[in-house]
Amino acid sequence: MQMTVGYVTSLMRQGILHIFLQILPVLSAALIIGLVVAIFQAVTSIQEQTLTFLPKFITILIVVALLSGFMFQDLKSYTEHLFALIPSLAI
């Protein structure tokens, strides 16, 4: 098998898709919590800068803990796929 530009592009596209699938739930949860805290700050007129850090941090830890099995399985399958391609590329 030849390493064509289209094939490399396809592998990179798959890698970027896997990265987005792994990062999307974590960023979405942090975005939602940040929005809720920002609305709470606006309503109560509390302008403490550090108030947003702890809820986001805890939310990110919880989401990573809940989804780490899926994340590592997805990363493992993609890595195995890449390593399985190595012998077919040897000339």
Side-chain angles (χ1 to χ4, degrees), residues 31-81:
L31 178 71
I32 290 169
I33 293 299
L35 185 63
V36 168
V37 170
I39 290 172
F40 174 75
Q41 283 181 325
V43 168
T44 60
S45 298
I46 298 173
Q47 297 302 321
E48 180 63 33
Q49 296 294 329
T50 59
L51 184 62
T52 61
F53 177 74
L54 189 62
K56 282 185 193 178
F57 184 69
I58 291 172
T59 302
I60 288 171
L61 286 179
I62 290 172
V63 170
V64 168
L66 292 175
L67 297 179
S68 62
F70 162 74
M71 291 175 167
F72 287 124
Q73 183 63 34
D74 186 47
L75 184 62
K76 178 184 164 230
S77 67
Y78 182 67
T79 305
E80 286 175 347
H81 172 70

